Amino acid sequence: MAELILHHYEGSPFAHKIRAILGFKGLAWRSVGIPMIMPKPDLMPLSGGYRRTPVLQAGADIYHDTQLIAAELERRHPAPTLYPNGGEGMAHALTFWADGALFGTVTGAAFAHIADRMPPAFFADRAAMRGQEPAPPEKIMAAAPRLVAELNRTLHLVEGWLGDGRPFLLGDAAGLVDFSIFHPFWMLNRAGRKNAALLEPFSNIRGWLDRIAAFGTGSPTELDAQEALDIARSADPADPGESAPDDAGPALGQTVSVLAADKVPEAVVGEVVAVRRNEVVVRRADDRVGSVHNHFPRSGYIVRPA
Ligand SMILES: N[C@@H](CCC(=O)N[C@@H](CS)C(=O)NCC(=O)O)C(=O)O
């Protein structure tokens, strides 16, 4: 089976969700460091323009979005399961809350404390990603009291959730719900003393964060970006599997663009080679990697004829 290659950077919370899942499942993986901001010249041939972090590669198959990356890791390595107690639906529903509202609340408060210490290029890059003008650090920081109050409400909610002494959010076994809710707090904890201090009053959360951290991040070994491209080039994409087309989805063989619904301008264009309830696979070619299959979730993505 092709090696798992994660394209990521150390400080990325979404990448840490996947690193923690790799640890939970006890997997060996190859680690390719990518820049935190654009340009990402060694990622683009694989991703077809998708710029977000992380990206998972297995040979000539490229998986986008932690929603689909987690599902793919579960498919390849089902034990231990990310969906204990049959909680797959609950895990994905809570992941939408965690990746959206919770992540926004935590990053809002965290950046309000450290905006003056962040490189201006970071805010310029993220604003450009959303087609906006960067906000000045003073403006970001002025919102701190409101954003911290909002975060505190969320922290009380999770603290109470763990209040009956359960080790993990859905009971005795850890699962996707834990990793999805963990990664924003992991980021908060390492974003300076003022941010880490926000977690101090919440002992249930701190104990739970320690239990998740104890899973580690598996066994990574570094891989040069060019080698990752060579691996894709010398591999054939795997059989994309059975399709289950539906009226709302694209047809097999159609050339489509796949765009994140939150309007990050990164449409990936390719020919549909598989479509299922929550996955679309497109084939594209690039001089540096040959033919590859890019896998996207359908939830949160707009797939249109190109
Ligand atoms: N829905 C995406 C969100 C990923 C995301 O927003 N990642 C951040 C880094 S933590 C990102 O891509 N930032 C811009 C970049 O790295 O270029 C996922 O689950 O993978």
Side-chain angles (χ1 to χ4, degrees), residues 17-101:
K17 182 207 294 194
I18 298 304
R19 295 189 295 251
I21 291 174
L22 290 162
F24 172 65
K25 288 186 176 285
L27 298 175
W29 52 284
R30 309 302 304 271
S31 168
V32 178
I34 61 172
M36 198 169 162
I37 60 176
M38 291 297 268
K40 306 187 186 193
D42 293 332
L43 180 66
M44 294 299 129
L46 293 165
S47 73
Y50 181 94
R51 59 157 295 175
R52 279 194 155 149
T53 311
V55 168
L56 181 74
Q57 173 188 356
D61 282 83
I62 318 298
Y63 298 88
H64 301 282
D65 199 290
T66 57
Q67 191 193 145
L68 185 68
I69 295 173
E72 182 61 22
L73 290 174
E74 179 77 3
R75 192 184 70 80
R76 287 171 184 249
H77 302 280
T81 182
L82 288 174
Y83 314 130
N85 311 320
E88 181 170 354
M90 195 163 17
H92 285 289
L94 285 164
T95 294
F96 276 114
W97 169 73
D99 288 357

Side-chain angles (χ1 to χ4, degrees), residues 149-220:
E150 181 60 33
L151 174 58
N152 259 305
R153 279 188 283 277
T154 305
L155 286 166
H156 276 286
L157 191 149
V158 179
E159 181 75 2
W161 186 345
L162 293 160
D164 62 3
R166 61 182 64 204
F168 298 106
L169 289 170
L170 297 188
D172 285 339
L176 181 62
V177 174
D178 296 276
F179 299 110
S180 296
I181 297 179
F182 159 75
H183 73 91
F185 296 141
W186 169 84
M187 189 267 291
L188 190 68
N189 212 8
R190 32 179 285 141
R193 255 183 304 153
K194 237 181 181 174
N195 281 324
L198 296 175
L199 290 169
E200 259 161 37
F202 300 100
S203 58
N204 296 339
I205 294 183
R206 283 189 285 103
W208 165 74
L209 293 177
D210 288 346
R211 283 189 286 282
I212 308 250
F215 289 121
T217 55
S219 311

Side-chain angles (χ1 to χ4, degrees), residues 256-282:
V256 295
S257 73
V258 185
L259 179 74
D262 58 0
K263 304 266 189 312
V264 171
E266 60 196 11
V268 175
V269 175
E271 180 199 334
V272 177
V273 291
V275 56
R276 291 181 272 278
R277 195 173 58 237
N278 196 22
E279 184 177 4
V280 58
V281 188
V282 299

